[in-house]
Amino acid sequence: MDKIIIGLIVHNHMGVMSHIAGLFSRRAFNLEGILCGQIEDGTRSQIYLLVKNDIRIKQIIKQLEKLYDVIDVSICENYDQTLFDRLHEFNNR
Amino acid sequence: MKYTGAEIIVKSLEREGIKIVTGIPGGANLPIYDALYKSKVQHVLARHEQGAGFIAHGMARCTGKAAVCFATSGPGATNILTAVADAKLDSVPLIVITGQVATSKIGQDAFQEVDTYGLVLPITKHNFFIRNINELIHVIPEAFRIAESGRHGPVVIDVPVDIQKQVIEFNDWPEFEAKTDIVEIDISEIEWIAEKINRSEKPLLFIGGGINASESTDLLYSLSKKNSIPVTSTLMGLGCFPSQDSLYIGMLGMHGARYTNYILDEADLLISLGVRFDDRAIGKANEFCPDASIIHIDIDHSEIDKIKESDYSIIGDVGYMLNHLIPFINSNSRSDWISRINQIKAQYPNYYQETKDIFYPANLIHVISTLVEPDTIITTDVGQHQMWVAQTYPFQHPRTLLTSGGLGTMGFGLPAAIGAALTNNNKRVVCISGDGSILMNIQELATLADLNLNVTIIIMNNRQLGLVRQQQELFYEKNYFASKFETNPDFCAIGRGFGIRSYDLDGNDKPIDILIKSLKEFGPSIVNVPIHDAENVLPIVPPGAANREMIGVL
């Protein structure tokens, strides 16, 4: 598979998104898509990151695990990647 | 009790045991300074926020404990960024508390408003923006926990001025969480590594700043001695193993000793402790230690396999691991390997000549080392003088070399020396600098004069940006450009202008006497040493090359 999805559980507050996006840009990792929404009582968010599956993926995961506000990192095995492809449909409604 | 936000900040610092803070006040952090006025915490007024940041570096790098500095919003915050980035790359526990414009003005391009949170995000271990005074009570101790746990690093806390002034009432301060990095280890992993070491024929210990951070110099020494494993160090590890010991094989890498880089090529096992395989240390990664299996022990799991794939790794505190490892290590004299190493050492000795010429850089550093106590703290700036110090100064004790390794910040040396002297009341601190670097934080001479500390500044003056000039000579067809200064300031006049005793060795017929005086007399002093201007730092590994491809090997 040339792309994989990384699932994150994070503390839900302002600034978390910039920590994650900043990590990808400063380490020159490609980030192809982001989906994010709050879960449970709103103190946490679920984030899905669509990334290219290359040899650096292990390093990306380790760096994500180091972020203070990241509670859990996992690789999503069975996913529907078309979710990321269909985002433009929201606009057409 | 009722507290303002500013009082919570200062009280929290007191509760963390902070005795000295450094910084510069301004509009957006004045409430903190007002709270500080009523506190017993000593404040050291720097003359530039970068100076304040590096004074805090000096304190933190000497003690291993977090040090604190303050800056106001806007330019205060942007000025301190270099010190924050430096702390990130060298894993220094630093707490930076910045003032911010009032919450109601944020996002309006208010006077002295800058997005500090956004600016520091990529150069901190973590950063906080305080939106609510209730957060403040927990964030300050949490910042200390973050800075001092695991792999150390800088934490920035941005506090809007209205929150500093706001008042809340509460009775109980939060209890500190115990700070511990001890993780349960699998003893079979330790045994496996011990087996690997016992069975190896040509092992080497490759050590870095992690030995300092984990306070494990004694354990390192025991391991090395018990199994006769020679030790090579990165710039950040210098002093962690006594440089005059027969098992010490010097600093490796771009400016490593000639024999060091050759010995590494012959190793069959590299035991890497608290190192991150930085490019200046290992050169071309896939040609580094081509015949060696690699064991990597580090507290930061993202360093494992980042640059160089290891054959076996353990994530955790190096000291804790060594403590468990040493009992499984056999005594061994390794006479074959040691005699091979001595042969390489004899074949490729140090590059520099022996001379009595005080203006010859390597000799100047040697002479300084003979005039001070072995545990004297040496700070450096960045450039040729830094590499000469790293190559030739006989460091014997941990935390005696304070230098900007990862970021390579010119201007580090003077403020770091001030910080070091603040935490070591009776010790002499020597800042070895260059005529390029010293100008980058020269204003901190005023801070030094305020404090009248035992800091001796030796300026190795070659009237140029020496390391730049050297690279132009070697790699840019001698197209010297922007590396030689048009005019040269009179550093003694500058020193006297700040009220600091200043000496010039130029034309002086008793230069050693002057050096002795400057290193022994109470209080600060400056010594200008006009060194020979064509000297190079050698050997040098060309950028991108393997370590064995050194220039300067006869």
Side-chain angles (χ1 to χ4, degrees):
Chain A
M1 223 179 307
D2 64 332
K3 284 176 191 168
I4 61 162
I5 288 180
I6 300 173
L8 303 176
I9 309 281
V10 301
H11 291 128
N12 178 24
H13 65 73
M14 280 190 275
V16 177
M17 226 34 199
S18 53
H19 274 109
I20 291 163
L23 173 69
F24 276 78
S25 61
R26 76 175 175 270
R27 296 211 176 249
F29 300 145
N30 238 348
L31 183 53
E32 310 210 347
I34 307 176
L35 283 173
C36 178
Q38 64 177 52
I39 52 171
E40 298 158 4
D41 60 352
T43 59
R44 294 172 168 202
S45 295
Q46 170 81 57
I47 298 178
Y48 292 107
L49 305 173
L50 181 67
V51 297
K52 230 174 108 188
N53 189 8
D54 66 18
I55 49 162
R56 300 197 305 154
I57 204 78
K58 274 189 192 163
Q59 179 63 211
I60 296 176
I61 303 243
K62 286 175 182 175
Q63 293 294 346
L64 283 166
E65 284 166 349
K66 274 169 66 171
L67 291 179
Y68 180 80
D69 286 313
V70 170
I71 301 159
D72 184 65
V73 184
S74 59
I75 298 218
C76 305
E77 298 287 349
N78 302 314
Y79 64 88
D80 179 9
Q81 197 189 301
T82 59
L83 191 59
F84 283 92
D85 299 333
R86 295 202 320 264
L87 288 180
H88 66 278
E89 291 170 15
F90 287 103
N91 248 347
N92 299 340
R93 280 177 194 170
Chain B
M1 282 279 286
K2 280 184 176 170
Y3 295 94
T4 65
E7 285 166 348
I8 292 171
I9 293 169
V10 173
K11 187 84 186 155
S12 300
L13 298 182
E14 288 173 355
R15 286 168 56 82
E16 293 287 340
I18 294 297
K19 303 273 188 287
I20 305 172
V21 297
T22 175
I24 303 186
N29 67 353
L30 268 174
I32 300 176
Y33 274 78
D34 194 52
L36 209 52
Y37 171 76
K38 298 159 196 157
S39 152
K40 285 199 177 75
V41 175
Q42 181 193 346
H43 179 261
V44 170
L45 177 64
R47 298 302 198 272
H48 185 287
E49 286 83 358
Q50 189 186 117
F54 284 128
I55 290 170
H57 268 256
M59 297 193 280
R61 286 175 188 248
C62 276
T63 60
K65 299 272 170 251
V68 180
C69 51
F70 293 150
T72 191
S73 63
T78 55
N79 278 348
I80 214 161
L81 291 180
T82 304
V84 176
D86 200 293
K88 179 72 161 50
L89 281 172
D90 283 351
S91 306
V92 176
L94 191 72
I95 309 275
V96 180
I97 301 176
T98 51
Q100 183 54 279
V101 300
T103 313
S104 60
K105 291 209 169 70
I106 282 176
Q108 297 181 5
D109 303 317
F111 177 64
Q112 291 191 331
E113 180 184 0
V114 73
D115 175 15
T116 305
Y117 187 91
L119 284 170
V120 301
L121 190 144
I123 54 170
T124 49
K125 187 171 176 190
H126 190 59
N127 57 318
F128 293 98
F129 175 72
I130 306 296
R131 288 187 178 77
N132 178 323
I133 190 168
N134 294 305
E135 293 169 23
L136 212 44
I137 305 161
H138 302 278
V139 161
I140 308 270
E142 183 65 1
F144 275 83
R145 196 194 62 76
I146 294 168
E148 293 178 340
S149 67
R151 180 177 180 173
H152 297 176
V155 180
V156 174
I157 310 165
D158 197 32
V159 192
V161 68
D162 56 315
I163 293 179
Q164 296 172 34
K165 287 191 271 196
Q166 198 185 333
V167 178
I168 54 164
E169 187 162 8
F170 63 94
N171 292 321
D172 298 319
W173 289 86
E175 283 309 310
F176 297 111
E177 278 180 52
K179 298 169 187 171
T180 171
D181 296 323
I182 303 306
V183 285
E184 280 303 307
I185 50 157
D186 182 351
I187 212 73
S188 65
E189 289 185 348
I190 295 281
E191 281 178 305
W192 193 92
I193 285 179
E195 174 83 1
K196 200 86 178 124
I197 294 171
N198 289 332
R199 281 197 183 173
S200 67
E201 285 174 8
K202 299 171 177 180
L204 289 178
L205 281 156
F206 170 31
I207 63 155
I211 300 289
N212 268 331
S214 62
E215 311 276 349
S216 50
T217 44
D218 292 346
L219 289 165
L220 168 72
Y221 190 78
S222 308
L223 173 64
S224 166
K225 286 292 172 184
K226 188 172 185 187
N227 196 261
S228 302
I229 312 173
V231 178
T232 181
S233 175
T234 67
L235 180 65
M236 298 307 293
L238 292 180
C240 292
F241 193 83
S243 61
Q244 280 148 345
D245 193 282
S246 60
L247 284 172
Y248 185 63
I249 59 162
M251 183 176 80
L252 79 169
M254 188 173 199
H255 295 298
R258 295 187 281 187
Y259 52 81
T260 316
N261 286 335
Y262 286 134
I263 292 169
L264 278 153
D265 266 5
E266 296 194 11
D268 67 355
L269 179 67
L270 192 70
I271 308 149
S272 320
L273 306 176
V275 292
R276 60 180 177 87
F277 292 80
D278 171 68
D279 54 283
R280 293 293 150 120
I282 71 161
K284 197 173 184 179
N286 55 14
E287 293 184 36
F288 177 65
C289 290
D291 300 330
S293 302
I294 291 177
I295 294 170
H296 193 181
I297 302 181
D298 200 276
I299 201 157
D300 180 354
H301 73 308
S302 70
E303 289 301 341
I304 309 291
D305 300 340
K306 184 181 86 175
I307 306 286
K308 186 94 180 155
E309 196 90 10
S310 53
D311 297 276
Y312 211 83
S313 59
I314 298 189
I315 297 151
D317 179 84
V318 168
Y320 183 75
M321 298 300 163
L322 289 183
N323 214 358
H324 285 79
L325 177 67
I326 291 169
F328 295 103
I329 297 292
N330 300 338
S331 291
N332 192 339
S333 63
R334 295 193 182 278
S335 50
D336 287 354
W337 180 219
I338 302 297
S339 69
R340 174 62 188 145
I341 282 173
N342 289 336
Q343 195 187 353
I344 301 174
K345 276 185 172 176
Q347 197 178 347
Y348 303 101
N350 272 321
Y351 173 81
Y352 303 106
Q353 8 168 327
E354 294 213 6
T355 166
K356 293 225 178 306
D357 180 357
I358 197 73
F359 302 113
Y360 183 71
N363 183 51
L364 172 65
I365 289 159
H366 166 73
V367 169
I368 294 168
S369 76
T370 62
L371 298 176
V372 296
E373 298 298 319
D375 64 346
T376 299
I377 294 167
I378 306 292
T379 74
T380 77
D381 270 297
V382 171
Q384 284 186 315
H385 71 274
Q386 177 192 31
M387 290 299 110
W388 284 319
V389 167
Q391 291 175 326
T392 62
Y393 192 94
F395 292 103
Q396 304 297 317
H397 299 282
R399 301 192 188 280
T400 50
L401 169 64
L402 309 187
T403 194
S404 170
L407 194 65
T409 309
M410 294 170 71
F412 172 90
L414 168 57
I418 294 172
L422 281 167
T423 47
N424 292 272
N425 278 336
N426 303 312
K427 274 172 87 170
R428 167 70 43 182
V429 178
V430 182
C431 167
I432 301 181
S433 186
D435 58 308
S437 285
I438 193 69
L439 285 173
M440 292 212 181
N441 270 318
I442 191 83
Q443 76 288 341
E444 296 312 317
L445 286 177
T447 313
L448 179 59
D450 287 351
L451 300 163
N452 203 31
L453 298 163
N454 290 324
V455 172
T456 304
I457 301 156
I458 313 257
I459 302 172
M460 297 180 71
N461 188 342
N462 55 9
R463 300 156 295 278
Q464 51 181 299
L465 295 165
L467 207 49
V468 173
R469 195 268 305 138
Q470 169 174 345
Q471 299 225 7
Q472 289 174 339
E473 177 188 333
L474 297 173
F475 308 127
Y476 294 90
E477 295 151 345
K478 301 191 180 174
N479 293 331
Y480 300 121
F481 184 68
S483 52
K484 199 164 170 56
F485 298 125
E486 300 287 329
T487 61
N488 308 110
D490 178 347
F491 286 107
C492 292
I494 291 174
R496 280 191 291 273
F498 282 98
I500 292 175
R501 272 188 299 264
S502 302
Y503 307 97
D504 201 333
L505 297 198
D506 191 12
N508 196 299
D509 51 0
K510 286 189 175 159
I512 307 279
D513 291 358
I514 299 290
L515 275 177
I516 292 172
K517 199 167 176 321
S518 73
L519 291 165
K520 304 283 178 193
E521 69 192 356
F522 181 80
S525 59
I526 294 172
V527 188
N528 180 57
V529 190
I531 58 165
H532 301 309
D533 60 7
E535 290 302 327
N536 283 339
V537 177
L538 290 170
I540 179 171
V541 176
N547 277 352
R548 82 180 73 83
E549 299 168 50
M550 291 170 271
I551 296 173
V553 179
L554 302 175

